[in-house]
Amino acid sequence: MDTEPSRIQAARSRAAAAKKVLAAAAAALFATVLVGVRLSHPGDPTAGSDGTTAVDQIADDSQAQSFDFGQSDIAPSGESGSGASGDTHAS
């Protein structure tokens, strides 16, 4: 009698082994990415790379100079402006 598995049975066992290897690799990759994201999450309230905390950074921002738009070169038109009239009547 033939004690070797058939070609179909051998292919099935190779496919099952490959699926197990791929599942293990995917789980390892997922865990690695998860740990990497957790360690580098920018919303983490702990100290940043410069040693300041989020509260320190907010305080620094409030003490910064405010932006000044300066004098505007565009002024609202007077009565002799573009011809637009404030007296509009609906009939």
Side-chain angles (χ1 to χ4, degrees), residues 2-78:
D2 194 22
T3 59
E4 292 183 24
S6 70
R7 289 180 9 190
I8 300 296
Q9 289 172 339
R12 285 182 180 157
S13 67
R14 285 192 308 267
K19 286 179 185 179
K20 288 179 184 177
V21 169
L22 285 175
L29 180 63
F30 180 77
T32 303
V33 170
L34 187 67
V35 169
V37 167
R38 180 71 177 140
L39 291 176
S40 66
H41 190 282
D44 194 354
T46 60
S49 61
D50 59 353
T52 60
T53 62
V55 174
D56 293 337
Q57 291 172 357
I58 292 171
D60 291 343
D61 290 344
S62 65
Q63 294 173 358
Q65 293 179 347
S66 63
F67 183 77
D68 185 16
F69 287 103
Q71 182 64 30
S72 172
D73 293 336
I74 301 173
S77 62

